[in-house]
Amino acid sequence: MITGAASNITNHSATLAGSIAATGCSNVTAYGIEFSGIGGFINGSGTQVPSANLSSGNFSSSLNGLVQGATYYYKAYAVNSGGTSYGLQQSFTVASIGNG
């Protein structure tokens, strides 16, 4: 699993990318992004946002309803019959609306 970059970051949403480098011994049955407001969160303890747009091993998930100015931590995940695999944690900070 590879956790990709955050993009399209606004004051309430972001698009997060991931990719599946190898499927292992069985087909992938679920994949997406897991995120949390806590840095270094334990695999499986965050909020999972499933994705359904796998293309050439790459996918993305959109997050909405985020808190302005907050930092979020995320990692890609994929599930097959052998269990769940996670990418390395990345982070991004949601944009804030300026004063005035």
Side-chain angles (χ1 to χ4, degrees):
M1 288 301 311
I2 299 170
T3 303
S7 62
N8 301 323
I9 301 169
T10 69
N11 62 344
H12 65 277
S13 66
T15 301
L16 308 176
S19 63
I20 301 171
T23 59
C25 58
S26 64
N27 290 334
V28 171
T29 56
Y31 58 93
I33 297 292
E34 183 171 316
F35 76 100
S36 175
I38 300 170
F41 69 97
I42 297 170
N43 292 345
S45 67
T47 301
Q48 291 188 343
V49 180
S51 184
N53 59 0
L54 188 63
S55 175
S56 300
N58 299 310
F59 63 88
S60 64
S61 294
S62 295
L63 277 59
N64 294 297
L66 302 176
V67 176
Q68 293 180 36
T71 298
Y72 289 92
Y73 304 88
Y74 68 99
K75 53 186 87 169
Y77 74 89
V79 180
N80 69 8
S81 63
T84 305
S85 176
Y86 292 88
L88 296 177
Q89 179 181 284
Q90 304 283 349
S91 67
F92 69 97
T93 300
V94 179
S96 295
I97 296 175
N99 293 332

